[in-house]
Amino acid sequence: EISTRDWSSDVCSSDLGAPVSQSVEIQVTEPSHDPWVARTPAKDEKPQEGQFYARDDKNQGVLHYNGVLSDAAEQVFLKLYAGETLVQTATAKPDATNAYALSVILKPGLIKYRVEFGTGKDNVLERVGNLVCGDAYIIDGQSNALATDTGEKSPAETNEWIRSYASPSPNPKDNEGNLWVLPVWKAQNGERAELGWWGMELAKRLVESQQIPIFMINAAVGGTRIDMHQRNPSNPTDRASIYGRMLWRVEQAKLTHGIRGILWHQGENDQGADGPTGGYGWETYHRFFIEMAAGWKQDFPNVKNYYVFQIWPNSCSMGGRFGSGDMLREKQRSLNELFSNMRMVSTLGVRLPGGCHFPLEGWGEFARMVQPLLEADHYGRVMAEPLTAPNLRSAHFNSERDSVVLDFDQPIVWDDKLVGHFYLDGEKGKVLSGSVDGSRLTLQLRERTASTKITYLKEIEWNQELLLLGKNGIAALTFCNVRVSE
């Protein structure tokens, strides 16, 4: 994709006379992908029972076995088994300090690996098993990302191909040793890694469709604003912070360079006027998201995609009659204008009532909506129609200013009952009818207007059964106070 930007500079001086303006056109080409950054292994790095290895851009995982022998030896070896079949042997000569470094290659798939390490030709010193290789993701946000706050019961099932790393404990001794676990959707019996309902459903769906192990961490915390998810640059792994606990888990799992995507559902607590600056949360939402995403990219350099949910109108009754929730959703919608690798997900059309927290079946819809996006971005899935929610690209008046043309990023469908959900300068009742031509929606106004902004759907008055939909059946993202050009 090539974009053009004009850069201008003015020089003004009483000695030089009139200001001089210069302009140059710069062609900017976005790379098709970022180069893969390899993680540097520790000098004493060894696998742990049950460990997950993320595949890289070469479609392989690398298992490192590094350390120092207590007794000198002429040779060390590392044997890799897929099940009971020997698939690779690596050997090395220890250096003068008895230090050694070995590595073997893992192919992703529903394969359980084990390794044997030893000296000489067949003197086995250590065995480690139940090792897998696949793809790693993070879920973050607040309660609808956590997806556990429900009275509904469900078995604490696990899956041998879904892995996670335990949450840190206040007791330092609990954070020692092997913390690799099979996660559950909700911790009910002392488990230390829960994925939430839709996180677990999504992981299960990917294992089934792609036949590949999945690593997932759910770092969400209910009732939190976006400013509470920021990275502490002076102590990034500060376990007193949400970000620090997340990063600690990923670092301990040695997967900082293996995270492929981050899924973000948050914003309910940013709708009101209790933000960190004393204003409304939407006013600073972009800034905080950009700073947080910069932290993600710094700590997870190979992350490829961000998946952001636009929350329900007046979600958890934290919006209000002042339209602060409408503006918060607008800030979420327009985030993908700032990121080329972002997918927006609409929760508006989830049929089961959400209000605040969705029932399990509603959360299950989250997994159903996100699965094809991940499969398109990471597994080569090709779809005949768009996979995302329709998003407004631009709005403009006709020459008479008695109709508004809305251009979306995909074909949409229209119902004249929707006219009451469009507002010009915040006022309802100005739209008479609508018509669609592909991805273009033309709203015929009752009369000429001097209005300058348009809104679709207000939190104080909306109907889940009456929504603007894409031809793909997905509810369009709401927008608020979008400027209408001439």
Side-chain angles (χ1 to χ4, degrees), residues 238-269:
D238 177 10
R239 281 176 277 173
S241 70
I242 298 172
Y243 192 103
R245 292 192 294 274
M246 171 188 69
L247 180 57
W248 181 87
R249 294 172 72 184
V250 180
E251 280 192 354
Q252 294 297 307
K254 298 179 177 58
L255 288 172
T256 51
H257 292 56
I259 301 299
R260 287 181 167 261
I262 299 176
L263 300 99
W264 175 258
H265 190 297
Q266 190 276 338
E268 294 91 337
N269 273 68

PDB file of all heavy atoms in Angstrom, residues 238-269:
ATOM      1  N   ASP A 238       6.568  -5.519  36.494  1.00  0.00           N
ATOM      2  CA  ASP A 238       6.066  -5.233  37.836  1.00  0.00           C
ATOM      3  C   ASP A 238       4.775  -6.020  38.056  1.00  0.00           C
ATOM      4  O   ASP A 238       3.747  -5.736  37.437  1.00  0.00           O
ATOM      5  CB  ASP A 238       5.805  -3.734  37.974  1.00  0.00           C
ATOM      6  CG  ASP A 238       5.203  -3.367  39.320  1.00  0.00           C
ATOM      7  OD1 ASP A 238       5.156  -4.236  40.212  1.00  0.00           O
ATOM      8  OD2 ASP A 238       4.778  -2.200  39.467  1.00  0.00           O
ATOM      9  N   ARG A 239       4.818  -7.005  38.936  1.00  0.00           N
ATOM     10  CA  ARG A 239       3.649  -7.869  39.124  1.00  0.00           C
ATOM     11  C   ARG A 239       2.540  -7.196  39.922  1.00  0.00           C
ATOM     12  O   ARG A 239       1.472  -7.780  40.111  1.00  0.00           O
ATOM     13  CB  ARG A 239       4.082  -9.179  39.787  1.00  0.00           C
ATOM     14  CG  ARG A 239       4.715 -10.134  38.790  1.00  0.00           C
ATOM     15  CD  ARG A 239       5.232 -11.387  39.446  1.00  0.00           C
ATOM     16  NE  ARG A 239       6.560 -11.178  40.021  1.00  0.00           N
ATOM     17  CZ  ARG A 239       7.175 -12.072  40.761  1.00  0.00           C
ATOM     18  NH1 ARG A 239       6.589 -13.221  41.048  1.00  0.00           N
ATOM     19  NH2 ARG A 239       8.377 -11.822  41.225  1.00  0.00           N
ATOM     20  N   ALA A 240       2.758  -5.959  40.345  1.00  0.00           N
ATOM     21  CA  ALA A 240       1.680  -5.193  40.954  1.00  0.00           C
ATOM     22  C   ALA A 240       0.795  -4.553  39.890  1.00  0.00           C
ATOM     23  O   ALA A 240      -0.261  -4.013  40.201  1.00  0.00           O
ATOM     24  CB  ALA A 240       2.252  -4.107  41.866  1.00  0.00           C
ATOM     25  N   SER A 241       1.222  -4.607  38.625  1.00  0.00           N
ATOM     26  CA  SER A 241       0.460  -4.010  37.529  1.00  0.00           C
ATOM     27  C   SER A 241      -0.122  -5.095  36.638  1.00  0.00           C
ATOM     28  O   SER A 241       0.396  -6.215  36.560  1.00  0.00           O
ATOM     29  CB  SER A 241       1.359  -3.097  36.689  1.00  0.00           C
ATOM     30  OG  SER A 241       2.296  -3.857  35.949  1.00  0.00           O
ATOM     31  N   ILE A 242      -1.212  -4.758  35.953  1.00  0.00           N
ATOM     32  CA  ILE A 242      -1.853  -5.702  35.033  1.00  0.00           C
ATOM     33  C   ILE A 242      -0.893  -6.068  33.912  1.00  0.00           C
ATOM     34  O   ILE A 242      -0.707  -7.246  33.593  1.00  0.00           O
ATOM     35  CB  ILE A 242      -3.146  -5.096  34.466  1.00  0.00           C
ATOM     36  CG1 ILE A 242      -4.156  -4.819  35.584  1.00  0.00           C
ATOM     37  CG2 ILE A 242      -3.765  -6.013  33.416  1.00  0.00           C
ATOM     38  CD1 ILE A 242      -5.379  -4.046  35.143  1.00  0.00           C
ATOM     39  N   TYR A 243      -0.284  -5.049  33.315  1.00  0.00           N
ATOM     40  CA  TYR A 243       0.649  -5.292  32.219  1.00  0.00           C
ATOM     41  C   TYR A 243       1.837  -6.121  32.701  1.00  0.00           C
ATOM     42  O   TYR A 243       2.280  -7.060  32.018  1.00  0.00           O
ATOM     43  CB  TYR A 243       1.136  -3.962  31.655  1.00  0.00           C
ATOM     44  CG  TYR A 243       1.880  -4.090  30.342  1.00  0.00           C
ATOM     45  CD1 TYR A 243       1.270  -3.757  29.140  1.00  0.00           C
ATOM     46  CD2 TYR A 243       3.205  -4.550  30.298  1.00  0.00           C
ATOM     47  CE1 TYR A 243       1.950  -3.870  27.936  1.00  0.00           C
ATOM     48  CE2 TYR A 243       3.879  -4.669  29.107  1.00  0.00           C
ATOM     49  CZ  TYR A 243       3.253  -4.334  27.920  1.00  0.00           C
ATOM     50  OH  TYR A 243       3.933  -4.469  26.730  1.00  0.00           O
ATOM     51  N   GLY A 244       2.350  -5.792  33.877  1.00  0.00           N
ATOM     52  CA  GLY A 244       3.518  -6.493  34.395  1.00  0.00           C
ATOM     53  C   GLY A 244       3.257  -7.964  34.646  1.00  0.00           C
ATOM     54  O   GLY A 244       4.116  -8.816  34.381  1.00  0.00           O
ATOM     55  N   ARG A 245       2.073  -8.292  35.170  1.00  0.00           N
ATOM     56  CA  ARG A 245       1.743  -9.710  35.399  1.00  0.00           C
ATOM     57  C   ARG A 245       1.631 -10.461  34.079  1.00  0.00           C
ATOM     58  O   ARG A 245       2.081 -11.607  33.964  1.00  0.00           O
ATOM     59  CB  ARG A 245       0.450  -9.820  36.207  1.00  0.00           C
ATOM     60  CG  ARG A 245       0.582  -9.332  37.644  1.00  0.00           C
ATOM     61  CD  ARG A 245      -0.627  -9.723  38.474  1.00  0.00           C
ATOM     62  NE  ARG A 245      -1.851  -9.062  38.046  1.00  0.00           N
ATOM     63  CZ  ARG A 245      -2.248  -7.862  38.455  1.00  0.00           C
ATOM     64  NH1 ARG A 245      -1.481  -7.172  39.285  1.00  0.00           N
ATOM     65  NH2 ARG A 245      -3.390  -7.338  38.048  1.00  0.00           N
ATOM     66  N   MET A 246       1.022  -9.819  33.084  1.00  0.00           N
ATOM     67  CA  MET A 246       0.924 -10.438  31.762  1.00  0.00           C
ATOM     68  C   MET A 246       2.309 -10.694  31.181  1.00  0.00           C
ATOM     69  O   MET A 246       2.620 -11.805  30.727  1.00  0.00           O
ATOM     70  CB  MET A 246       0.121  -9.548  30.823  1.00  0.00           C
ATOM     71  CG  MET A 246       0.130  -9.995  29.367  1.00  0.00           C
ATOM     72  SD  MET A 246      -0.651  -8.803  28.247  1.00  0.00           S
ATOM     73  CE  MET A 246       0.543  -7.448  28.299  1.00  0.00           C
ATOM     74  N   LEU A 247       3.156  -9.665  31.195  1.00  0.00           N
ATOM     75  CA  LEU A 247       4.485  -9.793  30.612  1.00  0.00           C
ATOM     76  C   LEU A 247       5.323 -10.812  31.365  1.00  0.00           C
ATOM     77  O   LEU A 247       6.076 -11.582  30.749  1.00  0.00           O
ATOM     78  CB  LEU A 247       5.176  -8.429  30.599  1.00  0.00           C
ATOM     79  CG  LEU A 247       6.592  -8.388  30.015  1.00  0.00           C
ATOM     80  CD1 LEU A 247       6.623  -8.920  28.599  1.00  0.00           C
ATOM     81  CD2 LEU A 247       7.149  -6.967  30.065  1.00  0.00           C
ATOM     82  N   TRP A 248       5.194 -10.845  32.688  1.00  0.00           N
ATOM     83  CA  TRP A 248       5.944 -11.825  33.478  1.00  0.00           C
ATOM     84  C   TRP A 248       5.611 -13.238  33.022  1.00  0.00           C
ATOM     85  O   TRP A 248       6.506 -14.074  32.846  1.00  0.00           O
ATOM     86  CB  TRP A 248       5.618 -11.652  34.955  1.00  0.00           C
ATOM     87  CG  TRP A 248       6.350 -12.604  35.864  1.00  0.00           C
ATOM     88  CD1 TRP A 248       7.596 -12.434  36.411  1.00  0.00           C
ATOM     89  CD2 TRP A 248       5.893 -13.890  36.325  1.00  0.00           C
ATOM     90  NE1 TRP A 248       7.933 -13.521  37.192  1.00  0.00           N
ATOM     91  CE2 TRP A 248       6.903 -14.435  37.160  1.00  0.00           C
ATOM     92  CE3 TRP A 248       4.727 -14.625  36.129  1.00  0.00           C
ATOM     93  CZ2 TRP A 248       6.773 -15.678  37.768  1.00  0.00           C
ATOM     94  CZ3 TRP A 248       4.603 -15.871  36.739  1.00  0.00           C
ATOM     95  CH2 TRP A 248       5.624 -16.380  37.549  1.00  0.00           C
ATOM     96  N   ARG A 249       4.334 -13.514  32.821  1.00  0.00           N
ATOM     97  CA  ARG A 249       3.926 -14.863  32.404  1.00  0.00           C
ATOM     98  C   ARG A 249       4.506 -15.217  31.040  1.00  0.00           C
ATOM     99  O   ARG A 249       5.002 -16.329  30.825  1.00  0.00           O
ATOM    100  CB  ARG A 249       2.398 -14.956  32.370  1.00  0.00           C
ATOM    101  CG  ARG A 249       1.750 -14.822  33.730  1.00  0.00           C
ATOM    102  CD  ARG A 249       0.234 -14.716  33.610  1.00  0.00           C
ATOM    103  NE  ARG A 249      -0.378 -15.979  33.233  1.00  0.00           N
ATOM    104  CZ  ARG A 249      -1.681 -16.128  32.982  1.00  0.00           C
ATOM    105  NH1 ARG A 249      -2.485 -15.058  33.028  1.00  0.00           N
ATOM    106  NH2 ARG A 249      -2.179 -17.301  32.668  1.00  0.00           N
ATOM    107  N   VAL A 250       4.439 -14.274  30.106  1.00  0.00           N
ATOM    108  CA  VAL A 250       4.933 -14.548  28.757  1.00  0.00           C
ATOM    109  C   VAL A 250       6.455 -14.691  28.758  1.00  0.00           C
ATOM    110  O   VAL A 250       7.013 -15.557  28.067  1.00  0.00           O
ATOM    111  CB  VAL A 250       4.483 -13.453  27.783  1.00  0.00           C
ATOM    112  CG1 VAL A 250       4.994 -13.743  26.369  1.00  0.00           C
ATOM    113  CG2 VAL A 250       2.955 -13.341  27.759  1.00  0.00           C
ATOM    114  N   GLU A 251       7.126 -13.860  29.536  1.00  0.00           N
ATOM    115  CA  GLU A 251       8.586 -13.979  29.626  1.00  0.00           C
ATOM    116  C   GLU A 251       8.987 -15.314  30.247  1.00  0.00           C
ATOM    117  O   GLU A 251       9.916 -15.973  29.771  1.00  0.00           O
ATOM    118  CB  GLU A 251       9.156 -12.824  30.448  1.00  0.00           C
ATOM    119  CG  GLU A 251       9.293 -11.529  29.681  1.00  0.00           C
ATOM    120  CD  GLU A 251      10.133 -10.505  30.437  1.00  0.00           C
ATOM    121  OE1 GLU A 251      10.501 -10.765  31.604  1.00  0.00           O
ATOM    122  OE2 GLU A 251      10.431  -9.443  29.858  1.00  0.00           O
ATOM    123  N   GLN A 252       8.324 -15.689  31.341  1.00  0.00           N
ATOM    124  CA  GLN A 252       8.650 -16.960  31.988  1.00  0.00           C
ATOM    125  C   GLN A 252       8.400 -18.138  31.049  1.00  0.00           C
ATOM    126  O   GLN A 252       9.108 -19.142  31.096  1.00  0.00           O
ATOM    127  CB  GLN A 252       7.824 -17.123  33.267  1.00  0.00           C
ATOM    128  CG  GLN A 252       8.147 -16.122  34.372  1.00  0.00           C
ATOM    129  CD  GLN A 252       9.567 -16.257  34.876  1.00  0.00           C
ATOM    130  OE1 GLN A 252      10.001 -17.340  35.255  1.00  0.00           O
ATOM    131  NE2 GLN A 252      10.303 -15.156  34.872  1.00  0.00           N
ATOM    132  N   ALA A 253       7.388 -17.999  30.188  1.00  0.00           N
ATOM    133  CA  ALA A 253       7.078 -19.047  29.223  1.00  0.00           C
ATOM    134  C   ALA A 253       8.020 -19.021  28.021  1.00  0.00           C
ATOM    135  O   ALA A 253       7.962 -19.903  27.166  1.00  0.00           O
ATOM    136  CB  ALA A 253       5.640 -18.891  28.741  1.00  0.00           C
ATOM    137  N   LYS A 254       8.896 -18.001  27.958  1.00  0.00           N
ATOM    138  CA  LYS A 254       9.852 -17.833  26.853  1.00  0.00           C
ATOM    139  C   LYS A 254       9.121 -17.699  25.514  1.00  0.00           C
ATOM    140  O   LYS A 254       9.543 -18.255  24.492  1.00  0.00           O
ATOM    141  CB  LYS A 254      10.858 -18.977  26.828  1.00  0.00           C
ATOM    142  CG  LYS A 254      11.721 -19.047  28.096  1.00  0.00           C
ATOM    143  CD  LYS A 254      12.690 -20.201  28.066  1.00  0.00           C
ATOM    144  CE  LYS A 254      13.581 -20.178  29.311  1.00  0.00           C
ATOM    145  NZ  LYS A 254      12.812 -20.243  30.580  1.00  0.00           N
ATOM    146  N   LEU A 255       8.013 -16.939  25.543  1.00  0.00           N
ATOM    147  CA  LEU A 255       7.196 -16.778  24.346  1.00  0.00           C
ATOM    148  C   LEU A 255       7.042 -15.323  23.921  1.00  0.00           C
ATOM    149  O   LEU A 255       6.138 -14.993  23.156  1.00  0.00           O
ATOM    150  CB  LEU A 255       5.811 -17.404  24.581  1.00  0.00           C
ATOM    151  CG  LEU A 255       5.790 -18.938  24.629  1.00  0.00           C
ATOM    152  CD1 LEU A 255       4.427 -19.440  25.058  1.00  0.00           C
ATOM    153  CD2 LEU A 255       6.177 -19.521  23.271  1.00  0.00           C
ATOM    154  N   THR A 256       7.901 -14.446  24.430  1.00  0.00           N
ATOM    155  CA  THR A 256       7.793 -13.037  24.054  1.00  0.00           C
ATOM    156  C   THR A 256       7.869 -12.843  22.541  1.00  0.00           C
ATOM    157  O   THR A 256       7.214 -11.955  21.982  1.00  0.00           O
ATOM    158  CB  THR A 256       8.907 -12.203  24.713  1.00  0.00           C
ATOM    159  OG1 THR A 256      10.174 -12.823  24.451  1.00  0.00           O
ATOM    160  CG2 THR A 256       8.688 -12.098  26.220  1.00  0.00           C
ATOM    161  N   HIS A 257       8.649 -13.674  21.873  1.00  0.00           N
ATOM    162  CA  HIS A 257       8.834 -13.535  20.435  1.00  0.00           C
ATOM    163  C   HIS A 257       7.917 -14.476  19.645  1.00  0.00           C
ATOM    164  O   HIS A 257       8.061 -14.604  18.425  1.00  0.00           O
ATOM    165  CB  HIS A 257      10.290 -13.791  20.057  1.00  0.00           C
ATOM    166  CG  HIS A 257      11.233 -12.738  20.552  1.00  0.00           C
ATOM    167  ND1 HIS A 257      11.328 -12.394  21.880  1.00  0.00           N
ATOM    168  CD2 HIS A 257      12.115 -11.935  19.887  1.00  0.00           C
ATOM    169  CE1 HIS A 257      12.233 -11.441  22.026  1.00  0.00           C
ATOM    170  NE2 HIS A 257      12.717 -11.139  20.840  1.00  0.00           N
ATOM    171  N   GLY A 258       6.981 -15.102  20.339  1.00  0.00           N
ATOM    172  CA  GLY A 258       6.085 -16.039  19.672  1.00  0.00           C
ATOM    173  C   GLY A 258       4.637 -15.604  19.629  1.00  0.00           C
ATOM    174  O   GLY A 258       3.808 -16.293  19.033  1.00  0.00           O
ATOM    175  N   ILE A 259       4.291 -14.463  20.247  1.00  0.00           N
ATOM    176  CA  ILE A 259       2.906 -14.010  20.262  1.00  0.00           C
ATOM    177  C   ILE A 259       2.509 -13.532  18.872  1.00  0.00           C
ATOM    178  O   ILE A 259       3.124 -12.631  18.306  1.00  0.00           O
ATOM    179  CB  ILE A 259       2.700 -12.880  21.291  1.00  0.00           C
ATOM    180  CG1 ILE A 259       3.074 -13.360  22.695  1.00  0.00           C
ATOM    181  CG2 ILE A 259       1.268 -12.372  21.245  1.00  0.00           C
ATOM    182  CD1 ILE A 259       2.253 -14.525  23.200  1.00  0.00           C
ATOM    183  N   ARG A 260       1.451 -14.119  18.324  1.00  0.00           N
ATOM    184  CA  ARG A 260       1.000 -13.776  16.974  1.00  0.00           C
ATOM    185  C   ARG A 260      -0.082 -12.716  16.960  1.00  0.00           C
ATOM    186  O   ARG A 260      -0.147 -11.901  16.038  1.00  0.00           O
ATOM    187  CB  ARG A 260       0.466 -15.025  16.258  1.00  0.00           C
ATOM    188  CG  ARG A 260       1.553 -15.965  15.842  1.00  0.00           C
ATOM    189  CD  ARG A 260       1.014 -17.178  15.111  1.00  0.00           C
ATOM    190  NE  ARG A 260       2.134 -17.859  14.475  1.00  0.00           N
ATOM    191  CZ  ARG A 260       2.462 -17.736  13.211  1.00  0.00           C
ATOM    192  NH1 ARG A 260       1.741 -16.956  12.428  1.00  0.00           N
ATOM    193  NH2 ARG A 260       3.503 -18.366  12.699  1.00  0.00           N
ATOM    194  N   GLY A 261      -0.977 -12.742  17.946  1.00  0.00           N
ATOM    195  CA  GLY A 261      -2.086 -11.811  17.943  1.00  0.00           C
ATOM    196  C   GLY A 261      -2.533 -11.487  19.358  1.00  0.00           C
ATOM    197  O   GLY A 261      -2.363 -12.291  20.275  1.00  0.00           O
ATOM    198  N   ILE A 262      -3.111 -10.277  19.538  1.00  0.00           N
ATOM    199  CA  ILE A 262      -3.643  -9.855  20.825  1.00  0.00           C
ATOM    200  C   ILE A 262      -5.091  -9.450  20.626  1.00  0.00           C
ATOM    201  O   ILE A 262      -5.415  -8.666  19.719  1.00  0.00           O
ATOM    202  CB  ILE A 262      -2.837  -8.681  21.405  1.00  0.00           C
ATOM    203  CG1 ILE A 262      -1.380  -9.110  21.628  1.00  0.00           C
ATOM    204  CG2 ILE A 262      -3.447  -8.191  22.719  1.00  0.00           C
ATOM    205  CD1 ILE A 262      -0.467  -8.003  22.104  1.00  0.00           C
ATOM    206  N   LEU A 263      -5.969 -10.004  21.465  1.00  0.00           N
ATOM    207  CA  LEU A 263      -7.403  -9.731  21.380  1.00  0.00           C
ATOM    208  C   LEU A 263      -7.806  -8.832  22.540  1.00  0.00           C
ATOM    209  O   LEU A 263      -7.543  -9.172  23.706  1.00  0.00           O
ATOM    210  CB  LEU A 263      -8.189 -11.040  21.402  1.00  0.00           C
ATOM    211  CG  LEU A 263      -7.875 -12.012  20.250  1.00  0.00           C
ATOM    212  CD1 LEU A 263      -6.893 -13.096  20.716  1.00  0.00           C
ATOM    213  CD2 LEU A 263      -9.131 -12.666  19.709  1.00  0.00           C
ATOM    214  N   TRP A 264      -8.437  -7.706  22.229  1.00  0.00           N
ATOM    215  CA  TRP A 264      -8.707  -6.661  23.222  1.00  0.00           C
ATOM    216  C   TRP A 264     -10.200  -6.378  23.299  1.00  0.00           C
ATOM    217  O   TRP A 264     -10.805  -5.924  22.316  1.00  0.00           O
ATOM    218  CB  TRP A 264      -7.933  -5.408  22.826  1.00  0.00           C
ATOM    219  CG  TRP A 264      -8.184  -4.185  23.671  1.00  0.00           C
ATOM    220  CD1 TRP A 264      -8.961  -3.115  23.358  1.00  0.00           C
ATOM    221  CD2 TRP A 264      -7.622  -3.904  24.972  1.00  0.00           C
ATOM    222  NE1 TRP A 264      -8.928  -2.170  24.373  1.00  0.00           N
ATOM    223  CE2 TRP A 264      -8.109  -2.638  25.369  1.00  0.00           C
ATOM    224  CE3 TRP A 264      -6.771  -4.600  25.815  1.00  0.00           C
ATOM    225  CZ2 TRP A 264      -7.763  -2.049  26.585  1.00  0.00           C
ATOM    226  CZ3 TRP A 264      -6.422  -4.008  27.033  1.00  0.00           C
ATOM    227  CH2 TRP A 264      -6.913  -2.759  27.412  1.00  0.00           C
ATOM    228  N   HIS A 265     -10.810  -6.645  24.445  1.00  0.00           N
ATOM    229  CA  HIS A 265     -12.209  -6.265  24.700  1.00  0.00           C
ATOM    230  C   HIS A 265     -12.236  -5.459  25.987  1.00  0.00           C
ATOM    231  O   HIS A 265     -12.072  -5.995  27.079  1.00  0.00           O
ATOM    232  CB  HIS A 265     -13.114  -7.494  24.829  1.00  0.00           C
ATOM    233  CG  HIS A 265     -14.582  -7.143  24.856  1.00  0.00           C
ATOM    234  ND1 HIS A 265     -15.139  -6.384  25.857  1.00  0.00           N
ATOM    235  CD2 HIS A 265     -15.595  -7.438  24.011  1.00  0.00           C
ATOM    236  CE1 HIS A 265     -16.426  -6.228  25.628  1.00  0.00           C
ATOM    237  NE2 HIS A 265     -16.731  -6.856  24.504  1.00  0.00           N
ATOM    238  N   GLN A 266     -12.441  -4.170  25.855  1.00  0.00           N
ATOM    239  CA  GLN A 266     -12.379  -3.276  27.005  1.00  0.00           C
ATOM    240  C   GLN A 266     -13.043  -1.962  26.637  1.00  0.00           C
ATOM    241  O   GLN A 266     -13.191  -1.645  25.466  1.00  0.00           O
ATOM    242  CB  GLN A 266     -10.909  -3.043  27.402  1.00  0.00           C
ATOM    243  CG  GLN A 266     -10.660  -2.321  28.710  1.00  0.00           C
ATOM    244  CD  GLN A 266     -10.718  -0.806  28.565  1.00  0.00           C
ATOM    245  OE1 GLN A 266     -10.552  -0.275  27.476  1.00  0.00           O
ATOM    246  NE2 GLN A 266     -10.973  -0.118  29.663  1.00  0.00           N
ATOM    247  N   GLY A 267     -13.433  -1.193  27.632  1.00  0.00           N
ATOM    248  CA  GLY A 267     -13.996   0.118  27.370  1.00  0.00           C
ATOM    249  C   GLY A 267     -15.207   0.445  28.204  1.00  0.00           C
ATOM    250  O   GLY A 267     -15.594   1.610  28.327  1.00  0.00           O
ATOM    251  N   GLU A 268     -15.835  -0.579  28.802  1.00  0.00           N
ATOM    252  CA  GLU A 268     -17.014  -0.318  29.617  1.00  0.00           C
ATOM    253  C   GLU A 268     -16.720   0.730  30.688  1.00  0.00           C
ATOM    254  O   GLU A 268     -17.517   1.641  30.912  1.00  0.00           O
ATOM    255  CB  GLU A 268     -17.505  -1.625  30.264  1.00  0.00           C
ATOM    256  CG  GLU A 268     -18.030  -2.675  29.294  1.00  0.00           C
ATOM    257  CD  GLU A 268     -16.967  -3.644  28.807  1.00  0.00           C
ATOM    258  OE1 GLU A 268     -15.765  -3.277  28.842  1.00  0.00           O
ATOM    259  OE2 GLU A 268     -17.319  -4.751  28.381  1.00  0.00           O
ATOM    260  N   ASN A 269     -15.566   0.616  31.327  1.00  0.00           N
ATOM    261  CA  ASN A 269     -15.223   1.539  32.417  1.00  0.00           C
ATOM    262  C   ASN A 269     -14.653   2.868  31.919  1.00  0.00           C
ATOM    263  O   ASN A 269     -14.343   3.737  32.728  1.00  0.00           O
ATOM    264  CB  ASN A 269     -14.237   0.882  33.389  1.00  0.00           C
ATOM    265  CG  ASN A 269     -14.939   0.079  34.457  1.00  0.00           C
ATOM    266  OD1 ASN A 269     -15.545  -0.950  34.157  1.00  0.00           O
ATOM    267  ND2 ASN A 269     -14.888   0.540  35.698  1.00  0.00           N
TER     268      ASN A 269
END
